[in-house]
Amino acid sequence: MFEQGVIRPPSEANSLLVRVTRNCPWNRCLFCPAYKGTTFSRRSVAEIKEDIDEMARYHGRNGSHVTTAFFQDADSLILPVEELLEILKHLGEAFPSLTRITSYARAKSLKRKSVTSLRALKAAGLTRIHTGLESGSVKVLKLTQKGESPGEMIEGGQRVMAAGIELSEYIMPGVGGKELSHENALETAHVLNRIRPDFIRVRTFALPPNSPMEAMAREGCFTPMNELETVAEIRDLLRHLEEMPAHFRCADFSLNLLMHVDGYLDRDRDRMLEDLDAFLSLPELDQKAYVLLQRSGHYGVHPSEMLEHQDLMSQLHNKVEELDSGNDDGFNRYIRAMMAGQLPRPQTGSWT
Ligand code: SF4
């Protein structure tokens, strides 16, 4: 049977998952539980080709309906170009109907590839790269042990764009905590303005349970932001992003509070800022009611819809007041726990 990894982007939910490496070669980011407790390893091209053949047998005649594929795990571009070309060729032959092949990659691996090599990968079928920028701030990248600099992020991203491969950059508002919120917004906007990717995917930070960042919060070296502060940070970021044809996406991730803030920076930026301002100008009790509604699993309901329902509003207000009574931070602690419940767990229960 062929191997599969545990993670893929939401946009690859229906894709063929081709595992070309196992786990993450860096695996030290303090906010990321995905591969903790696992060890990175490469797979041989022969092994990967066998998997592809097995998948072709598994899909049989239905293989002609497979149009998208995704290379797992965290950094497939760490492989030499020659190996990736061989894998892409074999995959294209086994599944001739593929129109999109995508992969995760770290900026460090991207910046080690020349634009010519990346163009060759594009010609062989690699159409999109997903990469975790998280933040453009040196301080935030150091705080979270991302292991990459803003300069490397810019260089890696610009190479992908120059090669004509679509680029999805993932960013994490809130990951710098209260202390670095403004810097996180400004510097992230600065890096994205230099890269001008096709997609900017917002992944609101949630504090992972039992993680090093939770310990940092306990010790006072990191102050988690509440939902309202994170929305304000997203507004700060959006205000500093330049007009470009990038798709700014909140709709594809339910930890983003305002999932309707979604559109193209060259067409919809003003509308998205208006949506953020409309939420930020609500009375605090209504803002908290909306947070509670969204975190209870009612994803994507527009705040204006919620405000129309008086019975619902009074139930939500009562619950907010109950959570806040007797403990100043009761509401925020409750919401943080709800958000943490949506995060993946380390595969072995270990953060090392
Ligand atoms: S965020 Fe990416 S690079 Fe960092 S540990 Fe997780 S998978 Fe690895």
Side-chain angles (χ1 to χ4, degrees), residues 299-312:
Y299 303 123
V301 175
H302 196 280
S304 61
E305 282 176 62
M306 176 196 75
L307 291 166
E308 281 169 13
H309 293 87
Q310 281 313 309
D311 287 353
L312 173 67

Side-chain angles (χ1 to χ4, degrees), residues 115 153-163 167 169 194-195:
V115 174
M153 302 288 196
I154 292 170
E155 196 178 335
Q158 285 181 339
R159 283 183 186 213
V160 174
M161 293 302 289
L167 180 62
E169 291 276 355
R194 298 282 306 277
I195 300 173

Side-chain angles (χ1 to χ4, degrees), residues 120-149:
L121 292 173
K122 161 96 194 280
L126 184 67
T127 48
R128 183 182 297 171
I129 286 178
H130 299 269
T131 190
L133 165 63
E134 330 299 359
S135 169
S137 147
V138 178
K139 285 184 194 161
V140 175
L141 293 171
K142 279 197 178 144
L143 176 86
T144 57
Q145 294 187 22
K146 179 70 186 168
E148 295 175 311
S149 68

